[in-house]
Amino acid sequence: MSIIVQNGDIFIILACLFGFFMAWGVGANDVANAMGTSVGSKAITIRQAIIIAVIFEFLGAWLAGGQVTETIRKGIIDPDLLEHDPQLLVYGMLAALLAAGSWLLVASMRGWPVSTTHSIVGAIVGFAVAGLGIDSVDWTKVGQIAASWLVSPLLAGSIAYMLFRSVQRLIFESNDPFAAAKRYVPMYVFLVGFIIAMVTLVKGLKHVGLHFSFLQSALLAALAGLVVMVMGAYLERRISRSKRKADRMGFEGVERIFGMLMIFTACAMAFAHGSNDVANAVGPLAAVISVVESRGAIDTAALVPWWVLVLGGSGIVVGLVTYGHRVIATLGTGITELTPSRGFAATLAAATTVVLASGTGLPISTTHTLVGAVLGVGLARGMQALNLRVIGTIVMSWLITLPAGAGLAIMFFFMFKGIFG
């Protein structure tokens, strides 16, 4: 107990530094994956992707990041085992942040698309097993998280498949694809606006003191969807029919309409990613602050300070701006050939999956979700449309991430234990 009182300021400073480092890794690696479809389909440029991500990643992390943060903090380790040695939780969370951040640094430098959720969960499990014993881990909770790693790509892939098939059926297989796009694209724009508004109203605005019932939220979200749809229809009118039947984007300019739509889906994906993955960085940080400020008491009901979410959101933004463009450029076209219409279906499906998971408090991997959504779009065109070699490499990097995070966390945990006693 006295260790926490004597070194409280040092622990908080280290937690902020390591938390920012981890958030930087999330921005450098994971956000790049999230924005890859938009850039890979050439719907937006890298510069535009960075601007969109800076705004919506930060808003998502700040407004809607709190509930998932609670799951990471409390769900994996039994807090009762730390009641008499709360400093072990501080060492463990510092080690987890430093381990996951270090692994993301290595992966980003090599261009590996790894899961930040894998990294931090593996690190927390590693320190818990080494420091507290194998029984300290809630393996049921870990199993639920692991199941979500399988469920999320399947769910995202299914949604993407259905979305892209609906686009094919309603627009590309019609007699006049351009006219059909003008008719049906506003419906998809409404869907994007509704999803963004719904997650914000249901859970995000409680952080600023506003509470709405589910029905009120649905009505307001529908209104927001209509506003976005009107904006989309206005922008859509500025796109004219191509004079060439087989222009570069294909289908007489239809893909250019979806290119405009990708701006909305990119915003949705950035917001959803910020709301979900900020937990990977600020969850352990919030746990350290809670233990230090309470002088060793582990309060499982402690609220996450608002400035912690701002710190996490800022770290994600800095990571994206400083290093994300390289990973975006590398991963934009790896799994399958993307056009704006395919990228739209994949991105909207991934955003929908992430916000659904965020609403239930279950931490999922954005990487797995997006890869599943892109696979769903590719499968809609047949197996030959998928690059199986790249998919194999991605799966291999997923398998390496968990033990790497655990191993580094164990090493750092004993290092902190040796320094502070």
Side-chain angles (χ1 to χ4, degrees):
M1 190 76 72
S2 61
I3 294 175
I4 293 178
V5 176
Q6 291 170 0
N7 303 285
D9 292 340
I10 295 175
F11 288 147
I12 289 181
I13 291 171
L14 289 176
C16 289
L17 288 174
F18 297 160
F20 191 86
F21 179 45
M22 172 63 188
W24 177 91
V26 173
N29 195 296
D30 224 20
V31 179
N33 297 343
M35 301 299 288
T37 53
S38 304
V39 178
S41 65
K42 298 182 175 57
I44 57 176
T45 65
I46 289 179
R47 182 186 294 271
Q48 290 169 331
I50 289 175
I51 293 173
I52 289 171
V54 164
I55 296 171
F56 285 91
E57 284 278 347
F58 184 82
L59 289 177
W62 183 36
L63 292 176
Q67 188 170 344
V68 178
T69 301
E70 291 292 312
T71 305
I72 284 285
R73 276 180 55 201
K74 300 186 302 184
I76 298 173
I77 306 172
D78 181 2
D80 293 338
L81 297 175
L82 295 159
E83 185 177 354
H84 301 294
D85 296 302
Q87 70 276 10
L88 295 182
L89 178 64
V90 175
Y91 301 156
M93 289 303 172
L94 291 176
L97 286 171
L98 189 55
S102 300
W103 171 246
L104 289 175
L105 174 63
V106 173
S108 299
M109 290 177 66
R110 294 180 175 273
W112 293 341
V114 300
S115 164
T116 54
T117 310
H118 264 191
S119 304
I120 195 67
V121 169
I124 291 175
V125 169
F127 117 75
V129 170
L132 304 171
I134 195 168
D135 294 333
S136 64
V137 178
D138 184 348
W139 293 105
T140 303
K141 192 70 180 179
V142 174
Q144 291 174 353
I145 295 172
S148 78
W149 294 335
L150 181 64
V151 170
S152 55
L154 287 175
L155 179 60
S158 302
I159 295 173
Y161 182 90
M162 290 186 289
L163 270 173
F164 186 60
R165 283 297 300 152
S166 74
V167 170
Q168 284 182 313
R169 181 67 63 87
L170 293 175
I171 297 175
F172 289 110
E173 295 175 3
S174 67
N175 293 327
D176 187 347
F178 187 80
K182 291 273 188 178
R183 187 182 312 124
Y184 291 113
V185 163
M187 176 184 69
Y188 294 113
V189 176
F190 171 82
L191 189 59
V192 172
F194 180 82
I195 289 173
I196 297 174
M198 194 63 188
V199 69
T200 306
L201 291 166
V202 168
K203 61 188 293 292
L205 291 184
K206 67 183 180 183
H207 295 293
V208 293
L210 294 176
H211 299 274
F212 298 103
S213 68
F214 186 84
L215 180 60
Q216 289 172 325
S217 299
L219 292 174
L220 289 171
L223 181 62
L226 286 173
V227 171
V228 175
M229 185 175 72
V230 170
M231 292 169 56
Y234 172 76
L235 293 173
E236 189 185 63
R237 281 204 299 271
R238 300 173 63 180
I239 299 175
S240 58
R241 186 189 294 267
S242 172
K243 295 179 180 178
R244 291 177 294 171
K245 290 286 184 181
D247 61 356
R248 185 180 68 82
M249 302 298 279
F251 292 96
E252 304 178 73
V254 172
E255 291 289 3
R256 281 189 290 145
I257 295 177
F258 277 99
M260 178 273 298
L261 190 55
M262 282 295 287
I263 296 173
F264 291 100
T265 57
C267 295
M269 193 61 193
F271 184 90
H273 180 268
S275 69
N276 193 74
D277 281 26
V278 71
N280 294 335
V282 305
L285 167 57
V288 172
I289 292 171
S290 175
V291 172
V292 171
E293 289 185 343
S294 62
R295 293 178 175 269
I298 299 175
D299 184 1
T300 56
L303 294 174
V304 178
W306 65 268
W307 63 267
V308 171
L309 292 172
V310 173
L311 180 72
S314 302
I316 289 175
V317 167
V318 173
L320 173 66
V321 171
T322 57
Y323 215 85
H325 64 281
R326 292 182 59 182
V327 188
I328 285 177
T330 303
L331 300 179
T333 58
I335 299 172
T336 188
E337 183 185 358
L338 292 176
T339 63
S341 62
R342 299 166 194 163
F344 152 75
T347 310
L348 181 57
T352 304
T353 305
V354 170
V355 296
L356 285 174
S358 186
T360 59
L362 186 66
I364 66 169
S365 162
T366 307
T367 306
H368 293 199
T369 304
L370 184 70
V371 168
V374 174
L375 281 172
V377 169
L379 281 174
R381 301 165 51 229
M383 284 295 291
Q384 70 279 4
L386 298 174
N387 188 331
L388 297 180
R389 185 182 61 81
V390 172
I391 294 171
T393 303
I394 291 173
V395 172
M396 186 61 67
S397 72
W398 292 356
L399 296 176
I400 294 173
T401 297
L402 200 66
L408 287 170
I410 291 171
M411 183 180 72
F412 290 131
F413 172 74
F414 285 114
M415 182 184 78
F416 288 124
K417 195 174 179 182
I419 293 173
F420 294 102

